[in-house]
Amino acid sequence: MLFLTACDDNPTGVGVDVGDDPLQGGEPVTVSLTPTSLNVERRAPVTGAVAGNLPERFFAGRVDDPLVGTTEAQGFLNLFQPIEELSGSLYNDPLTDVSLRLAPISVYGDTTSTVTMALYDMPAPWDGAGARSDTTLAEGEQILTFELDPTDEETLVPLPRTWINENEPVLRDTTGGGEAFLDAFAGFRIAPASGNAAIGFNRNDTSLRVATSTDTTNFNGRVSLTTLERTPSDALPDDRALVQGGFANALTFTYDFDAPPLDTLRGTPVNRAEFVLPVDTTLWADSTPDGFARPTPDSYSFTGTSTDGDQTVTLSSNLTPFNEGLRFTGDTPVRIFEEGFLRESAFSEFVITPNATESGTSNEISLDVALFHRLPIDPTASDTEGPRATVTVTPY
Amino acid sequence: MHFARTLLIGLLLTLGGVLPVWGQDAGDGSIYSRFGIGELQTPSSAQAQALGGHGVALRSLNYTNLSNPALWSDQVLTRVALGARFRTVESEGGQTEGTSRLTAGNFDGVQFSFPLLRQKLGVAFGFVPVSQSNFRSRVQRTASSSPFDDETLDYQVEFLGRGGLQKITGGFGYRFNDLISVGASLDYLFGTIETQRRTSFTRPNFQETVVTNGVRLDALSATLGTHLTIGDLLRSDDNLMVGAAVTLPASLSGTRTRTIGESLDRDTVSTASGGALDMPLTTRLGIAYVPSSALTLTVNGSYAPWSQAESSMTDDDVSFAFPVGGTETLADQWTLSSGVEWRPAGDDSFESFLARTAYRLGVSYEQLYVSPNTTTTLNAVEARLGISLPTSVSGTRIDLTTHVGRQGTTSQNLVQDLYYGVSARVTIGERWFQERRLR
């Protein structure tokens, strides 16, 4: 019966206007809703991890960015002892060379000049797993300084003979299946000495190259950590919000569905919703010196904090920016506003964090920078360029 | 006999599946079903329907006519009837060019009846549609605002009517003598009538929104009927029968709700309860003349002063009124119908199949009970052609009826419907509750 009655229907507008109370309504209306609040939240992200976990990246260097301010990164690294390879010549013969191999994978800052880094011993073993960017570790003695060209794919830093002689027994001590090495060797700290760039390295591609006259082996990166400090720039206008991975790394905003104008839409069904978070590309370009690299995030994570504050829900893990900023549309924004209009808002706050450039995951770290628009100072102003949600509803 | 019993049991089992989906009739129909409580149905019998109307005077041993409880006294067999119907409506007029063609199909009621005292006292029950709302209109529009800077936003709005009222009825008919019988039934009316508005888009990332204004109604009513039979009036063995029935006024208490979303995922955004729509008394009168067992002639009429109906559900606290447009859109309803049935074999069950088949013709005229613009009276004229096929099981017949009609007008911004369709009904009769006799 259903089939028979459905196959031949040809409904038109005939009958819509019949009577003094004709069929009407259903016209969608598009409204621009400015967030109730928008802030940049400084967070100290997890920048330390052991092999097999993210982040794999660590940074070292100092950058004086005319837009962002001064950023200083210090990288910490400890190594695996390749026990099975420590045999024969490597175990018995004198070490002829020990070099730290560094492979830059990203640059933030001046790409036209070399930077000088200082390499330090770590005085004691440290636990980098889960450590955050504001971690403070004990300082060791400086081993040497070295120059690094940010554009080089690989840099070998030969360690001095005194360091080799001092550490040769430790490097070869396989007692306890490597336990002795773990207890005695604490790794390195790489700190900026001069220059205007912060270099990113991948822990997995970083190693200590140990050689005898007949053989060579690598002590690969086992654990890494980045600590960060920043001095903001006075050049940043009040109406712009700077989001940078590793520092002010979250753009947070809220919508109060119980306050105007959102409360006027209570009970209204939603056809479409889009979050629009514009970025300032003009000031960005004007504040970028020649030869200065300032990476921007390839993608962002969009999360919501549940109303009861207990849960953080990932609404989009890979939000790709357009030229003018971030746009987030689809089923999820519709559900967010529908929930707020029809029942109770499921989220008390929305958070946008940049994903790392390399792996596209929010667990990686970066120093990428984005310059978002803040809310208009006059809350009643119709700012079509500002952060907003464009919501199409069908009033009844 | 065994076949009939099997078929009967099968039908009863089918009822279990039919009843729950009764309110889910498929398809669409006239825009006039948007007004009042929907398009009114005429629950009677397959025979009466084919003869154009309710047939309150039509005595029959083969059918149980729900329009007049007095007729339930004439039962010999336990009887079950089950039917379905299809109807296509082609509408034109109003401010929209073109023609709308919509098709609907729905179950047409279930009846169960049996004699307590053969041709003296009978009981009947029925579950039948009282009204149906199933309009559908679709328009394409362009929004006055768009989320896109340089592009307009086109959308489609579809308006749909769904649901209707059903009735569970049960009662008895008692025959005092060959001349007169009376009957009464208690009727429980209930159902939900919904008007849906669906706004949809062809663009990606736009979701369809569905807003539904619904009213859930129920009422208790009663029908009283009487029937008079005068035999040997003009010739030997002829019968002149007069029947009358009144359905008492009923107060349909209603709860109005506005919901957003679809089926199980609906959100109620407003509710108003405590209102009522007072339905008027409905009077039905009919005359049937049976000059011989082969021929039956009927004339029927009915009247219901719907213009006097009152509703307390027209306030605007939930932004929609019931009935649509208020009670000003209701008008007095009356019908006039006539029909003729010819069954060549008469009561002779040994004649050929074609001779035992009944051939029916009926016409009707109705002044509709709705007047959407409050000033124009709407009429409907309809013709019906039907046959009633005998089966190898005595007392069991299959009735097929086609109908074609026209209602409404294209003037005054109204629409005219041309409708046609077919209905089918199976009526099964079997002797139950027989006294065991020694041979």
Side-chain angles (χ1 to χ4, degrees):
Chain A
M1 182 179 292
L2 287 168
F3 173 76
L4 286 172
T5 56
C7 61
D8 197 32
D9 277 4
N10 175 33
T12 66
V14 172
V16 164
D17 43 10
V18 164
D20 294 343
D21 186 9
L23 291 163
Q24 55 190 343
E27 176 174 0
V29 176
T30 300
V31 293
S32 181
L33 301 172
T34 304
T36 309
S37 67
L38 184 143
N39 294 295
V40 175
E41 191 170 302
R42 283 172 168 267
R43 297 181 175 188
V46 172
T47 54
V50 296
N53 297 291
L54 292 172
E56 295 175 345
R57 188 182 303 178
F58 65 99
F59 285 89
R62 182 188 296 112
V63 186
D64 187 9
D65 185 331
L67 182 66
V68 176
T70 303
T71 300
E72 182 174 317
Q74 298 194 51
F76 298 82
L77 177 73
N78 206 346
L79 307 164
F80 280 114
Q81 185 189 39
I83 298 173
E84 294 178 357
E85 296 181 22
L86 290 175
S87 60
S89 169
L90 284 169
Y91 197 78
N92 299 309
D93 298 342
L95 297 179
T96 56
D97 179 60
V98 176
S99 299
L100 183 64
R101 177 183 179 273
L102 296 169
I105 56 171
S106 66
V107 183
Y108 166 42
D110 184 4
T111 59
T112 60
S113 307
T114 59
V115 295
T116 303
M117 302 282 187
L119 185 68
Y120 294 85
D121 265 326
M122 288 301 290
W126 47 279
D127 184 11
R132 294 183 178 272
S133 62
D134 56 356
T135 302
T136 302
L137 298 176
E139 295 187 2
E141 291 186 7
Q142 180 175 316
I143 304 168
L144 53 76
T145 59
F146 62 95
E147 286 202 344
L148 192 148
D149 187 335
T151 58
D152 282 350
E153 292 186 357
E154 178 182 291
T155 297
L156 278 176
V157 183
L159 299 185
R161 171 50 59 184
T162 53
W163 188 92
I164 295 172
N165 293 340
E166 189 178 326
N167 288 275
E168 186 173 345
V170 178
L171 296 174
R172 285 174 165 164
D173 187 355
T174 58
T175 308
E179 285 295 324
F181 176 81
L182 287 175
D183 291 341
F185 190 82
F188 304 103
R189 172 166 68 98
I190 305 170
S194 64
N196 192 28
I199 315 296
F201 308 97
N202 189 296
R203 179 185 61 230
N204 299 334
D205 296 332
T206 305
S207 60
L208 190 69
R209 185 168 296 178
V210 177
T212 64
S213 59
T214 58
D215 211 348
T216 302
T217 189
N218 290 318
F219 287 57
N220 292 324
R222 180 175 63 83
V223 57
S224 61
L225 170 68
T226 304
T227 62
L228 296 163
E229 287 183 25
R230 180 178 153 216
T231 306
S233 167
D234 294 335
L236 190 66
D238 292 339
D239 58 354
R240 295 294 180 262
L242 192 94
V243 173
Q244 183 177 22
F247 295 107
N249 63 347
L251 188 72
T252 65
F253 59 96
T254 62
Y255 277 100
D256 185 353
F257 287 89
D258 295 323
L262 278 81
D263 61 346
T264 63
L265 296 169
R266 186 156 292 283
T268 308
V270 180
N271 299 107
R272 176 184 183 270
E274 181 180 45
F275 290 102
V276 182
L277 297 156
V279 294
D280 187 337
T281 53
T282 305
L283 178 61
W284 175 274
D286 292 347
S287 306
T288 308
D290 290 341
F292 191 90
R294 189 193 294 126
T296 57
D298 281 350
S299 67
Y300 294 83
S301 290
F302 192 117
T303 59
T305 306
S306 64
T307 305
D308 58 14
D310 284 348
Q311 283 186 310
T312 298
V313 180
T314 300
L315 304 170
S316 174
S317 61
N318 194 17
L319 205 57
T320 307
F322 294 86
N323 288 337
E324 70 274 28
L326 277 183
R327 289 182 178 273
F328 181 28
T329 188
D331 287 350
T332 302
V334 168
R335 295 282 168 256
I336 289 169
F337 282 96
E338 205 166 61
E339 197 79 17
F341 293 156
L342 297 182
R343 292 174 282 269
E344 183 185 359
S345 177
F347 301 105
S348 59
E349 185 181 62
F350 301 100
V351 182
I352 289 182
T353 50
N355 293 333
T357 307
E358 188 180 35
S359 58
T361 162
S362 57
N363 289 331
E364 190 53 274
I365 64 162
S366 75
L367 298 177
D368 299 348
V369 180
L371 193 61
F372 285 93
H373 287 237
R374 283 190 182 273
L375 294 180
I377 294 172
D378 178 4
T380 61
S382 175
D383 185 1
T384 56
E385 300 299 317
R388 62 196 180 274
T390 306
V391 183
T392 303
V393 298
T394 305
Y396 47 79
Chain B
M1 189 69 76
H2 179 69
F3 168 77
R5 179 168 294 164
T6 305
L7 193 57
L8 182 61
I9 291 171
L11 271 174
L12 289 172
L13 290 173
T14 304
L15 297 185
V18 169
L19 296 181
V21 297
W22 203 272
Q24 301 170 19
D25 295 336
D28 308 290
S30 171
I31 188 64
Y32 294 121
S33 70
R34 175 177 174 238
F35 300 91
I37 57 172
E39 280 192 297
L40 298 180
Q41 313 294 307
T42 306
S44 53
S45 67
Q47 180 190 31
Q49 284 179 355
L51 296 178
H54 43 72
V56 289
L58 207 56
R59 287 179 69 178
S60 172
L61 297 179
N62 286 323
Y63 300 96
T64 302
N65 189 333
L66 292 183
S67 67
N68 186 358
L71 298 172
W72 301 349
S73 62
D74 290 323
Q75 297 186 66
V76 174
L77 304 177
T78 296
R79 196 166 286 289
V80 171
L82 180 70
R85 62 197 160 117
F86 296 91
R87 189 174 82 153
T88 296
V89 180
E90 294 183 4
S91 307
E92 61 180 6
Q95 296 176 2
T96 306
E97 296 284 333
T99 300
S100 168
R101 185 176 62 251
L102 301 166
T103 304
N106 58 285
F107 291 98
D108 199 19
V110 181
Q111 301 170 12
F112 176 62
S113 60
F114 56 89
L116 290 178
L117 296 172
R118 189 168 182 265
Q119 291 191 287
K120 183 81 174 173
L121 177 62
V123 176
F125 300 95
F127 183 74
V128 291
V130 174
S131 70
Q132 189 173 35
S133 179
N134 61 352
F135 65 89
R136 185 180 182 190
S137 288
R138 180 189 292 169
V139 291
Q140 308 283 342
R141 292 172 176 158
T142 300
S144 55
S145 61
S146 167
F148 311 109
D149 293 338
D150 304 321
E151 298 176 55
T152 58
L153 178 62
D154 297 327
Y155 65 100
Q156 172 182 285
V157 185
E158 191 165 62
F159 300 95
L160 300 113
R162 290 289 177 263
L165 291 182
Q166 296 88 39
K167 176 171 77 174
I168 294 177
T169 184
F172 69 95
Y174 180 74
R175 172 161 295 285
F176 290 102
N177 49 44
D178 288 344
L179 187 66
I180 190 165
S181 63
V182 296
S185 69
L186 196 61
D187 308 325
Y188 176 61
L189 288 73
F190 65 98
T192 300
I193 297 171
E194 292 184 341
T195 297
Q196 252 182 24
R197 194 189 65 212
R198 312 177 76 95
T199 306
S200 58
F201 308 79
T202 54
R203 286 176 175 272
N205 291 324
F206 276 82
Q207 297 197 1
E208 181 183 67
T209 53
V210 182
V211 178
T212 304
N213 291 339
V215 56
R216 194 173 66 245
L217 300 162
D218 71 322
L220 204 58
S221 181
T223 300
L224 307 173
T226 185
H227 189 270
L228 194 67
T229 304
I230 303 170
D232 303 330
L233 184 68
L234 301 177
R235 51 186 289 188
S236 172
D237 293 334
D238 71 349
N239 280 304
L240 177 68
M241 297 172 283
V242 180
V246 292
T247 298
L248 301 180
S251 181
L252 280 166
S253 58
T255 299
R256 287 168 291 161
T257 57
R258 170 171 287 141
T259 60
I260 290 172
E262 291 247 52
S263 56
L264 297 176
D265 194 26
R266 287 188 182 188
D267 286 290
T268 301
V269 292
S270 60
T271 301
S273 57
L277 170 66
D278 295 329
M279 294 172 63
L281 178 95
T282 302
T283 306
R284 293 182 287 278
L285 183 67
I287 300 172
Y289 179 62
V290 184
S292 70
S293 60
L295 191 63
T296 301
L297 306 167
T298 67
V299 177
N300 298 286
S302 71
Y303 176 71
W306 277 93
S307 63
Q308 297 170 21
E310 293 184 353
S311 172
S312 58
M313 292 185 281
T314 53
D315 51 19
D316 61 356
D317 58 344
V318 289
S319 302
F320 72 94
F322 183 81
V324 170
T327 51
E328 294 79 9
T329 60
L330 302 179
D332 291 348
Q333 181 212 29
W334 59 267
T335 66
L336 190 62
S337 64
S338 182
V340 57
E341 176 187 278
W342 178 50
R343 191 169 47 166
D347 292 332
D348 188 347
S349 57
F350 296 103
E351 284 283 357
S352 67
F353 178 80
L354 289 179
R356 286 182 291 127
T357 297
Y359 305 91
R360 297 162 182 156
L361 177 66
V363 292
S364 66
Y365 178 87
E366 177 182 1
Q367 178 174 294
L368 301 184
Y369 83 111
V370 294
S371 174
N373 63 6
T374 72
T375 56
T376 306
T377 302
L378 300 175
N379 305 310
V381 290
E382 186 175 318
R384 301 183 184 187
L385 196 62
I387 57 171
S388 177
L389 305 173
T391 67
S392 59
V393 181
S394 176
T396 297
R397 300 187 75 87
I398 298 171
D399 295 85
L400 301 171
T401 305
T402 61
H403 65 271
V404 59
R406 187 183 293 278
Q407 68 177 4
T409 173
T410 54
S411 65
Q412 302 291 316
N413 211 23
L414 298 166
V415 301
Q416 188 171 66
D417 297 333
L418 169 67
Y419 59 88
Y420 45 88
V422 61
S423 63
R425 181 172 284 257
V426 179
T427 304
I428 300 168
E430 189 174 274
R431 195 177 297 278
W432 280 12
F433 312 119
Q434 275 185 298
E435 254 183 64
R436 191 177 293 276
R437 292 178 181 172
L438 293 175
R439 291 181 180 175

